[in-house]
Each structure stands twice: as structure tokens, then as C-alpha cells.
Amino acid sequence: MGEPLKIAVLYDVWGEDEEPRSEKPAETGRRRKEKEDREEILEALTKLGHDASYYVLDGRAQSLHGLAKCGADLVFNLTESYAGDDTKEMNVAAYMELIGLRYTGAGPHAHFLAQDKATAKKMFAFHNIRTPYFATVYRGHLDHAHDIKFPLIVKPQLEDGSIGIDAQAVVGSVKELMERVAYVQNEFDSPVLIEEYIEGREIYAAILGSYERIEVLPLVELDLSQLPEGTPRIASRAVKFERDSEAYKLTESKIADDLDAETIQKLGDTALAAYRAVKLRDYGRVDMRLTSGGEVYVIEANPNPWLSSKHEFAMAAKKSGRSYTELIASIVEMALNRYRLTKSWNN
Ligand SMILES: Nc1ncnc2c1ncn2[C@@H]1O[C@H](COP(=O)(O)OP(=O)(O)O)[C@@H](O)[C@H]1O
Ligand SMILES: [Mg+2]
């Protein structure tokens, strides 16, 4: 264990989710749908001997000013948005760099590249990483278009957390496509990403590390095979968050322990290439599809994925032999190493 540090566990609240600032773990998690990972992280940091407390960004300038004066040696960055806008993760990271705060996880450049799914896919293509063919459209403006074939999946280009992704997102005809494009534009006022739908197993690679010290943890599968016949096998909003839904109950994440060595290698290499292509660091999760023919497609790469002990990242870390506390310790250590190694943080 390294020397004790003052660590701020940083998260964001907005509007009705707002909670008073607190030095103690919150009793209930309200912002996210399940137990908050921040409670577990605070606990782990305390166990490691650090002086850890929460710091909340509430969307007001005052909370930004306060952060600049918080005196933390390191920020454990769990923000997912700013003032309710989840495309602003990059701005929070960029702000911390400007005010000279050291923080865990992705830099602003990685948030920028990964958040815009079309931009990320262009990066993947340059690195010869297979990703579904796609087109984007926004208010009559077509940005990029492969010659795509049905079935397609229609998603908001800039969201995450499966926002806008339900059974109707998968479309098989021009009529359904047009209806869904209109829906996504109206509902989310967002550019629309139209992608070829890839039938296959849903595999997640949790990756820990930066630079040359980097490790793909054991692969996790979100098993969608029990979803009722006729519904698309996708990680919809319901599958991820709606605990009372049939979709939630019929699906589960588990270590993918039935894959052959060659497939594991291929998935791992692909995930690592995607991680690097969008410049993730410390920890990240790459979401892939594995077809019955053994082809691997990258769906997206997630900077700073959710660290709840029950979820995919921690599950993979556990399988790799790390306790939850060790996982948190290694994220802290990697962040600190970065600042020791270089003054230029942008890689
Ligand atoms: N091209 C695709 N082919 C098959 N399934 C997809 C495709 N794109 C998305 N999905 C399904 O939808 C889920 C959510 O899509 P994703 O792009 O990862 O959005 P989010 O950022 O909201 O997680 C994926 O985990 C996957 O199950
Ligand atoms: Mg995803």
C-alpha cells in the first residue's frame, strides 16, 4: 500500500436527484438505479488507509469553484454528466486538468472520442477493428454512410446507458426505420446513429491499465439467450435497469467460460485495440458482439465504466484474482503513476 492520500470521490447530481453534500456514504442510491458504486469505492479507499470523502458537482459554478479548492491529492472521478448533460463528461475532466487536479480514468480527449459513437467507429475503422457498418443522420444532414443492410439498429449517437434502446430500436423495413429515426430525433433531440444489427453473443472485455502495463481481464457475457422469442436480443434499457421487468429477470451477466482459446484471444486483442484507439486509460470496458461464425464486432468502448461490485467490471476483476479493494487500489496507483511519469496527460 502506498502513502495515505486525501482522495475526493467525485460525482454529479442534478435537479431532483440532488442530495446534500455529505462526508458519509449515502444511505440510498437515488441517481443510479441500483446500489451506488461510490459507496463501495469510498469504503475501499478508507480500507486502504486513505482519507476519502465525497465531493459533489451540482451543476452550479459554485461547486466547480469549490472543487478547485478542495485540496485533494487525487480525485476518483465518477462523474457521468454535468448539469444533467451527459455529453459533458469531457468538460469535467478538462476542467480538472486546467485547475491542476489529478484524477482517475479517462482524459477529456478519450471522453470526446468515445462519447460520440460515430467518431469512435471512425477511429476503429482506421485501426482495422471490425465495427458494424453505419450511417448518421440529423435534421436532414447525412454525415457518413456505408451501404448498410437490414436489419438495422437505430440509436442516439451521443448517449449511453441504453437510452433510446428498446425492442423497437431494431428495424427491418424502411417504414420502421423512418419512424424510429423520427422518434430518436424528437425524443432526444440527438443525431441518430443507424447501424447494421449484428446477431450474436454479447461479450464485455474489462481492461485495466495504461501504456505498456495493460491487462484484459476475463471476459464477461451478458446472456440474452433467455429473452422471449421474437424480441431482439439486445441490452435494452429494461435489461440494464428495470428490475421489475421480464427482460431484467431473464438476463444475467456471467464469466464467459465456454469460449475456446482462439476466440478468447481474438476478443481480447480486438478489445485492446479499441481501448487504445479511443485512448482509454486506467480502466475501461469494451462491448462486443461475437457471431456464430466467430466474427468479433466492437459495439462501443466505455471510459470509466460502472465499478459496482455486482457489475461486469468488478466481476471480471474478481475472476482475475483481485479483491474489490485491490481493484480500487490499482486504479488509484495507475492514476498516480501517470502523474509521476509525465507532465503531458493527453495520451
Ligand atoms: N449494431 C448492433 N448490433 C447488435 N446489437 C447492438 C448493436 N448496437 C447496439 N446493440 C445492442 O444495444 C446495446 C446498447 O448499445 P450501445 O451502443 O452499447 O449503447 P449504450 O452506450 O447506451 O450502452 C448493446 O449492448 C447491444 O446489446
Ligand atoms: Mg453499451
Side-chain angles (χ1 to χ4, degrees), residues 7 28 49 81 86 88 137 140 203 252 290 327:
I7 301 183
T28 52
S81 58
D86 52 18
K88 292 286 194 295
V137 57
I203 308 283
E252 62 168 337
L290 171 65
L327 168 63

Side-chain angles (χ1 to χ4, degrees), residues 74-310:
L74 183 73
V75 170
F76 206 108
N77 183 19
L78 300 179
T79 53
E80 295 185 331
S81 58
Y82 181 75
D85 179 347
D86 52 18
T87 65
K88 292 286 194 295
E89 283 174 285
M90 69 180 98
N91 303 64
V92 174
Y95 174 70
M96 290 196 278
E97 299 212 346
L98 283 181
I99 60 176
L101 268 182
R102 305 186 287 185
Y103 60 95
T104 58
H109 50 295
H111 283 296
F112 172 79
L113 292 173
Q115 171 91 47
D116 180 341
K117 292 189 164 115
T119 302
K121 287 164 73 67
K122 288 177 191 173
M123 300 292 288
F124 298 154
F126 179 83
H127 292 278
N128 291 324
I129 301 162
R130 202 190 285 258
T131 183
Y133 282 173
F134 72 105
T136 60
V137 57
Y138 190 44
R139 297 184 174 154
H141 180 73
L142 197 65
D143 174 36
H144 188 80
H146 281 108
D147 191 10
I148 48 177
K149 295 192 187 72
F150 287 107
L152 300 167
I153 181 164
V154 181
K155 330 188 248 193
Q157 189 178 324
L158 306 170
E159 295 289 349
D160 49 25
S162 285
I163 289 171
I165 298 181
D166 55 40
Q168 283 73 45
V170 179
V171 297
S173 70
V174 172
K175 179 172 180 289
E176 285 174 358
L177 171 64
M178 289 169 73
E179 282 170 357
R180 193 64 186 184
V181 167
Y183 166 81
V184 171
Q185 282 189 2
N186 292 334
E187 193 73 11
F188 307 104
D189 190 24
S190 161
V192 182
L193 176 63
I194 304 163
E195 243 179 39
E196 287 195 354
Y197 175 73
I198 309 298
E199 189 70 60
R201 291 171 67 175
E202 174 118 347
I203 308 283
Y204 301 136
I207 297 181
L208 201 53
S210 311
Y211 313 110
E212 68 283 354
R213 271 183 63 203
I214 197 160
E215 185 181 339
V216 182
L217 304 180
L219 299 165
V220 172
E221 173 168 19
L222 173 59
D223 182 1
L224 301 164
S225 63
Q226 300 310 306
L227 286 173
E229 222 35 65
T231 46
R233 309 230 147 128
I234 55 173
S236 62
R237 192 95 191 130
V239 166
K240 284 188 193 166
F241 300 112
E242 290 165 18
R243 293 179 142 235
D244 297 329
S245 69
E246 195 189 18
Y248 187 97
K249 289 176 189 154
L250 292 173
T251 51
E252 62 168 337
S253 292
K254 53 185 192 199
I255 296 294
D257 50 14
D258 64 337
L259 300 169
D260 62 65
E262 196 187 329
T263 307
I264 291 172
Q265 185 74 38
K266 191 167 171 181
L267 285 156
D269 290 350
T270 305
L272 200 53
Y275 185 89
R276 289 191 160 123
V278 294
K279 297 184 177 291
L280 302 194
R281 65 188 189 194
D282 295 353
Y283 65 113
R285 198 193 70 230
V286 178
D287 299 355
M288 294 171 288
R289 285 249 148 174
L290 171 65
T291 69
S292 54
E295 286 167 330
V296 174
Y297 287 83
V298 171
I299 301 296
E300 64 161 350
N302 300 284
N304 303 0
W306 205 18
L307 286 174
S308 153
S309 64
K310 301 275 179 311

Side-chain angles (χ1 to χ4, degrees), residues 18-32:
E18 211 164 308
E19 289 168 34
R21 260 183 230 178
S22 161
E23 296 297 311
K24 292 209 185 93
E27 273 169 33
T28 52
R30 283 191 289 161
R31 183 169 180 277
R32 293 167 176 162

